[in-house]
Every structure is written in structure tokens, then in C-alpha cells.
Amino acid sequence: VNGDRVLTLAGQDVPVVGTARMYVCGITPYDTTHLGHASMFVWADVAARVLQTTGVDVAISRNITDVDDELLARAEAENVGWRSLAVQQTYRFERDMADLNVAKPTYEPKSFDYVADVLALAQILMGRGVAYEREGNVYFRAASTAERAGLSRDEALALAAERGGYPDDPLKDDPLDAVVWQRASEDEPGWPSPWGRGRPGWHAECTVMALATLGPGIDVHVGGADLAFPHHAVEAAQGEAALDVHPFARSWLRVGTVRVGGEKMAKSAGNLVMVQEVLDSSSPDAVRLMILDRPWSEPWEYSKEALADASARLEGLWRAAGRRDGDDAATDAAVDALLDDLDVPRALRIAEEAGGRTTRAVAGLLGLT
Ligand SMILES: [Zn+2]
């Protein structure tokens, strides 16, 4: 045990006793796996490897959101069953993660298996006076989540409209209130509830999957930077309001967005770059290095040149690893760099200069094989 070694994220120490519990906002299985997704999961993987150097075990819970508005819409558009679409896409996702040498999570909860827990959450929140029912929907009072996320009300409303918050829903007391449970229409999947046939809301799914697998007060919460609001803000506020354990997450690893041609990689922009497409022309190690050789929180631009640069850098790294030098002081300095806000660029510079076993140690922590 090395109590003197602590991971720092975004300027905050994350001391851990026993097991570090990491929750990773996973995929909605309908357009997997593009480089934007992959970037988040590779960073989560490295954070776990680095945490382990402090002498703690790491439990990772990475969910699959397989009951979701967008998944249902896609299944309908492609005229396939939503369950089979989800199973097929989940399989592809897991293959992509294995190809990128991302370790299997300890828990992989699927929304489909946690519907009863969302019902329990809705009832607890209503019992505590922070949620209300309207025509078969249950809403969480979420007006204060704007301030929590450091947003003005106007900014929050714009983001809610863009990212599945449905601020125009006339049944809500406040446009920022969030759906915990929603009435299901005839042609949608639904489960019985005290408020009629319905299905869970997206943020509530993550709240219960995190709590059910890891318990309250998780140590590191990972997700894309674009999920900060409303998803993470509501997910956390609901968990805190339900169980009175603050904070819901002790630290956040919100991974910067990947762009292509100056735009965020998104299905709607028509610019998705899929993991398998990139792996056709380069090694998994080069893809990982391209993702990791930068500050984790910053948005970045994918290009063929970026990939070629990473491949060249990788060759230099393996040449350095083959040298007969390297020393403990340099290895310690490289590990310290990684513990200091996952500073991969600094760790790589030390690894290239020291060579030998220092380089091999750093490569191992970055999951390069
Ligand atoms: Zn989530």
C-alpha cells in the first residue's frame, strides 16, 4: 500500500482506501464504436491502470444504455427489433474494446436489467418531495442543476434542448426538470408501474446503475465532455437527493470531444470515424497513442496525419524500450507524471529519454503491448 501516492484529476486529489470505484458512462448500442467513444474508454482504461500503481484495486462499472429513445428510433428506422439491434451493437462494441486492449470492466450493467431500480428511485424521490407525477411521467425537480454545472439558465436551456432534455415538455413545472420515468406509447416497450405502463428515463438509468453496482460516493466518474449537462448534472443530483450521500462522484474525468474537419464527430454531422476503419490501416497501439498523447480534457481533431504521427512516435518508443538503460528514479518520475492529472505527454518524454525498463513501464501503464 502506498498511501503517499495519490491520483490527482483536474487539480484535485482523489485519495482512496481499499477499492477505487470508477463508473464509466457507456454506449447506447446503435452506432458503435466511433473514435469519440473509443477515446473516452481508452482514457478510462489508463486512469484505472494508473490508479492501480497507488496500491489499490479498481472496480469499473461501464454501463450499456440498451433502453433508450435514440436506440428505439434507430430500430424503427431500420425496421429491426430494438433488442436484437442492441445485442448486435453491444457485441461489436465489446469486440472493438478488446481490439483496443481496453480491459474488461468489473461490472457491465444494462439498463434493461435495472428497470425495477429506476422505479425504486422514482418512488424514493417522490417520497422526499423532489419529484412529481404528471400523466404517467415522473419528473425530478432539476432547476438547480444549471448552477451546479456552472451554467446560466439560458445556456442550460439550450443544452437541454440539444441533448435530450426536452425543455419544451408542457407537463413539467420547470423546463429543466428531468424525466425519471416516462409513459410508454402503444408501440414502445413498457413496464408496469404505479403510474401506468412506462419506461425509464436516461439520466435515471445511469444513477441507478452506478448506485447498484458501486454504491454511493463513487471515486471517479468518466464520461464524454458533452455529457456534462444535463446528463451528469442530473444523474448526480438525483443520486444525492435520493440517498443523501454527497457528492455522488468525488471526481470527474470528462474526456474532450473528438472532431473531424472542424466539427464534433456525430452521427448527425455524418462524419463518424469508426474504430474498425482506423484499425484497418494502423495498429491498436498507434490508435491508443494518438488518443492519449494530449491533455485528456481538451477537444482534438482526428486526421490521417495525427494517426501517422502517432505511428512514428510509437516506433521511437519501441526503439527506446529496446535500449539497455532505464532507471528507477526515471520510472518513478514517469509514474508521478501520470498520477499528476494523467500527464501522458510528460510521461512519454521521460520514457523516451530514459529508455529501457522505464519506457517499458510507461508503455505498460498506457496499455501498449
Ligand atoms: Zn451516464
Side-chain angles (χ1 to χ4, degrees):
V1 176
N2 294 309
D4 56 330
R5 285 204 147 158
V6 171
L7 175 66
T8 301
L9 285 176
Q12 252 190 313
D13 282 356
V14 191
V16 172
V17 172
T19 301
R21 292 156 310 133
M22 183 184 289
Y23 185 77
V24 186
C25 268
I27 53 146
T28 299
Y30 72 96
D31 66 352
T32 58
T33 311
H34 62 67
L35 205 52
H37 294 138
S39 164
M40 179 175 66
F41 300 122
V42 166
W43 273 110
D45 187 57
V46 168
R49 289 169 197 259
V50 171
L51 263 168
Q52 278 161 355
T53 68
T54 68
V56 299
D57 293 328
V58 182
I60 301 173
S61 178
R62 188 179 71 201
N63 77 286
I64 302 277
T65 310
D66 61 355
V67 181
D68 177 86
D69 294 355
E70 294 184 51
L71 170 72
L72 297 176
R74 173 62 58 86
E76 168 138 21
E78 292 185 1
N79 201 21
V80 293
W82 64 279
R83 290 290 287 155
S84 66
L85 176 65
V87 167
Q88 209 176 72
Q89 291 281 319
T90 300
Y91 169 78
R92 278 197 205 172
F93 166 69
E94 286 173 353
R95 177 200 59 188
D96 292 344
M97 290 302 101
D99 287 354
L100 285 173
N101 195 30
V102 170
K104 266 188 170 301
T106 322
Y107 308 100
E108 196 168 38
K110 300 184 171 72
S111 305
F112 189 81
D113 300 323
Y114 287 83
V115 174
D117 297 85
V118 173
L119 279 171
L121 176 73
Q123 282 173 311
I124 292 169
L125 293 172
M126 285 177 74
R128 309 203 81 175
V130 292
Y132 55 94
E133 188 260 349
R134 298 273 188 282
E135 299 183 16
N137 303 310
V138 175
Y139 299 103
F140 172 63
R141 297 193 184 282
S144 65
T145 55
E147 196 186 337
R148 174 190 188 109
L151 299 168
S152 73
R153 186 156 169 96
D154 285 347
E155 288 168 331
L157 286 168
L159 285 172
E162 190 186 319
R163 296 172 186 168
Y166 304 110
D168 297 335
D169 179 348
L171 296 174
K172 292 179 180 179
D173 284 356
D174 186 288
L176 290 179
D177 289 349
V179 170
V180 181
W181 182 259
Q182 54 197 324
R183 194 180 50 199
S185 62
E186 283 291 306
D187 54 345
E188 284 174 344
W191 288 259
S193 85
W195 317 286
R197 188 172 166 278
R199 61 193 175 89
W202 171 36
H203 315 314
E205 291 175 320
C206 265
T207 304
V208 302
M209 286 188 277
L211 290 173
T213 53
L214 299 175
I218 49 185
D219 300 300
V220 182
H221 193 306
V222 188
D226 56 340
L227 294 184
F229 191 87
H231 182 60
H232 291 158
V234 174
E235 179 194 330
Q238 283 175 164
E240 290 170 4
L243 300 188
D244 245 340
V245 179
H246 303 253
F248 180 77
R250 302 171 61 216
S251 66
W252 295 85
L253 185 70
R254 289 201 185 94
V255 176
T257 306
V258 182
R259 297 168 168 274
V260 183
E263 267 191 277
K264 185 197 153 184
M265 192 177 293
K267 192 78 195 176
S268 52
N271 63 356
L272 293 188
V273 176
M274 308 309 276
V275 165
Q276 288 302 326
E277 201 180 314
V278 180
L279 287 176
D280 277 348
S281 62
S282 57
S283 71
D285 283 352
V287 178
R288 282 184 77 107
L289 200 58
M290 172 179 69
I291 288 169
L292 294 169
D293 188 11
R294 61 188 74 257
W296 53 265
S297 60
E298 282 176 21
W300 58 281
E301 176 89 18
Y302 167 76
S303 65
K304 291 231 156 74
E305 293 72 38
L307 193 55
D309 288 350
S311 295
R313 181 111 199 239
L314 188 67
E315 274 180 45
L317 203 61
W318 290 142
R319 272 197 302 278
R323 299 204 311 255
R324 297 187 60 172
D325 43 9
D327 62 81
D328 292 347
T331 305
D332 279 351
V335 172
D336 284 346
L338 293 173
L339 286 169
D340 180 9
D341 212 14
L342 304 175
D343 191 342
V344 173
R346 176 152 56 105
L348 283 172
R349 282 195 299 277
I350 296 168
E352 283 163 337
E353 200 179 297
R357 55 197 160 96
T358 297
T359 314
R360 294 194 289 276
V362 170
L365 285 172
L366 300 183
L368 308 177
T369 50

